[in-house]
Structures are given as structure tokens and as C-alpha cells.
Amino acid sequence: MSPLILILLFGFLMSLIALSGALVLLLKPATLDRILLSLVGLSAGALLGGAFFHMLPAAGELMSDNFSIYLWTMAGFLFFLVLEQFLHWHHCHL
């Protein structure tokens, strides 16, 4: 398959994914209120995770062992996940 066709195909698919956010506007207000906090958390996590994981290779160039960078990063994420599950500390949005 030619590179031009692949570029057009994946560009179209990315546009569809980007426009899927507009489907939220078609939801009923009660449904939107119920899932809005989860959607905000998902989008914030995706943006922060994308930016953070794009910086990891640059950190790997400065250090000699790339594997330890990724290992400590994932260990940190897992530690805070276990800590949150253990403490059951959640903000109350009333």
C-alpha cells in the first residue's frame, strides 16, 4: 500500500476519533452529569500521560540504563495506585 493512501487513511481515522468527542453533546443531561467526572479524569490522564511518556526517551538518553527508567516509572504508578486503593481517599464533589 502506498504511503499516501496510508497517510490519508490514518488521517481520516484520527479525525473520526477527534470528532467522537462531539457525540457527548448528544447525550441527555442526566447521563452527561453522571459520566462527566470520569470523562474529565480520562482526558486529563491521557494528556498528562502522553506528555510524560514522551519525555521518558529523552531522560533515557541522559542515563545509561533505559530499562531502569521505565521500571521505576511503572513502579511509582503502581505504588500510588495501591496507596489510593488502600487508603480509599476520594474527594467528595457535592
Side-chain angles (χ1 to χ4, degrees), residues 52-69:
F52 180 73
F53 282 118
H54 278 93
M55 288 189 293
L56 282 177
E61 291 176 2
L62 297 175
M63 295 182 68
S64 61
D65 188 14
N66 286 342
F67 182 72
S68 67
I69 293 171

Side-chain angles (χ1 to χ4, degrees), residues 33-91:
D33 287 340
R34 193 173 30 147
I35 65 169
L36 187 62
L37 191 59
S38 298
L39 291 175
V40 169
L42 176 68
S43 62
L47 287 172
L48 287 173
F52 180 73
F53 282 118
H54 278 93
M55 288 189 293
L56 282 177
E61 291 176 2
L62 297 175
M63 295 182 68
S64 61
D65 188 14
N66 286 342
F67 182 72
S68 67
I69 293 171
Y70 292 104
L71 181 69
W72 282 108
T73 302
M74 294 312 296
F77 280 135
L78 287 175
F79 173 73
F80 279 103
L81 175 69
V82 169
L83 187 66
E84 282 187 7
Q85 295 298 318
F86 178 71
L87 295 178
H88 295 286
W89 180 51
H90 301 286
H91 293 284

